[in-house]
Amino acid sequence: MSTAHATLAWPRVATQAVLDALFPQTCGACGVWIGGGTGIVCSQCRDEIEQGFAATSCQRCGRTLPRTAIHESGCARCRSERTWNVAGVARVGQYAAPLRRLLLGLKYVGHERNAAYLGTLLAEALRQRGWAEQIHALVPVPMHPLRRLQRPCDHAYVLAEALGEQLHVPVWRAVRRVRHSVSQTGLKTRAARFENVRGCFAPARRRRFDLAGKTVCVVDNLIVAGATTYEVSKVLRRAGAKRIYAAAIARPPSPGDPVPDG
């Protein structure tokens, strides 16, 4: 992370730490009262998040699966998916409470403190994958200007900033969204998700990001079918990126996935 980036981030982090220590607050996931200075989630929600974090997942696609379903080169699902074009995925857990509530609070209410907490967890997930130190830059999934008017914050960028602060890696807006489409949330089929984001992304207008030969990591809040990750990764590869990873807070189970251990 650049010195300028660290200088800008420090006052915000320090101010939030002081406020947390002085005033009681509610758990960002379930809403119960917790003491100031204890973090943003209660002990019960923290335990649930840690349990999901510890569950085994495919290093290539991030699906939470039984150990027997995961192989060195990936799971049976992602090895058969022609649209899977990233080298690996780091994730915090499945898309279930309390992670789901924290993400919804960030995405629709603008609780950026949730991103700071989730960014710490995601940084640890990348370190456990073993490729955190290889990354030259984090690339958040871009939001179309019309969508940005509807949301309190650019959640993928905020998450990328929080992750970058933890890993000391710069955040590059190397991809832009050039076509507005309906939200992926309401689309039920895999085919509909891929068709919805086809051709939505392009390189940044200002060619100030030298991606040639670089290892980059796409950052988003969720990976569901992998359609958005696939489209963004195509743009990055055409721009010269040598190796592409992805990081997301959650990956929901796909239809037909075996039940995870435990």
Side-chain angles (χ1 to χ4, degrees), residues 36 41 47 60 89 91 93 96 155 188 197 201 210 226 244 246 252-253 256:
V41 295
D47 289 344
R60 186 163 180 255
V89 172
R91 102 295 180 255
H155 55 274
K188 302 301 182 183
V197 294
F201 304 99
D210 182 11
I244 302 170

Side-chain angles (χ1 to χ4, degrees), residues 94-114:
Q94 290 188 302
Y95 189 55
L99 271 186
R100 183 177 66 84
R101 297 189 189 115
L102 289 170
L103 283 174
L104 292 176
L106 170 65
K107 187 174 181 178
Y108 295 111
V109 187
H111 290 163
E112 294 192 15
R113 53 193 271 124
N114 294 7

Side-chain angles (χ1 to χ4, degrees), residues 35-209:
T38 59
I40 73 161
V41 295
C42 66
S43 58
Q44 180 175 339
C45 287
R46 186 179 299 111
D47 289 344
E48 291 182 32
I49 291 171
E50 291 176 355
Q51 183 178 1
F53 183 91
T56 56
S57 62
C58 176
Q59 293 206 22
R60 186 163 180 255
C61 71
R63 288 184 174 94
T64 301
L65 299 168
R67 291 183 185 277
T68 54
I70 302 172
H71 310 284
E72 186 175 347
S73 59
C75 66
R77 298 296 295 267
C78 66
R79 287 191 298 178
S80 65
E81 290 173 340
R82 292 180 300 169
T83 53
W84 200 252
N85 61 353
V86 296
V89 172
R91 102 295 180 255
V92 175
Q94 290 188 302
Y95 189 55
L99 271 186
R100 183 177 66 84
R101 297 189 189 115
L102 289 170
L103 283 174
L104 292 176
L106 170 65
K107 187 174 181 178
Y108 295 111
V109 187
H111 290 163
E112 294 192 15
R113 53 193 271 124
N114 294 7
Y117 172 66
L118 294 170
T120 300
L121 295 173
L122 192 53
E124 181 58 27
L126 265 73
R127 295 186 185 104
Q128 289 188 11
R129 289 303 199 216
W131 35 264
E133 295 183 356
Q134 302 174 24
I135 298 171
H136 295 105
L138 303 172
V139 179
V141 170
M143 183 180 289
H144 192 276
L146 293 179
R147 182 77 66 209
R148 180 65 186 88
L149 292 174
Q150 301 170 350
R151 299 283 167 81
C153 68
D154 186 343
H155 55 274
Y157 181 76
V158 173
L159 281 169
E161 276 201 317
L163 180 59
E165 289 172 9
Q166 292 292 321
L167 297 179
H168 306 291
V169 173
V171 177
W172 288 359
R173 291 186 185 265
V175 179
R176 60 192 172 98
R177 187 152 190 156
V178 294
R179 183 171 69 82
H180 184 57
S181 61
V182 300
S183 172
Q184 295 280 79
T185 304
L187 302 178
K188 302 301 182 183
T189 68
R190 176 182 172 83
R193 284 177 170 269
F194 273 85
E195 184 59 33
N196 189 49
V197 294
R198 191 184 307 278
C200 280
F201 304 99
R205 284 193 179 91
R206 297 179 182 178
R207 304 289 180 139
R208 56 192 175 118
F209 303 110

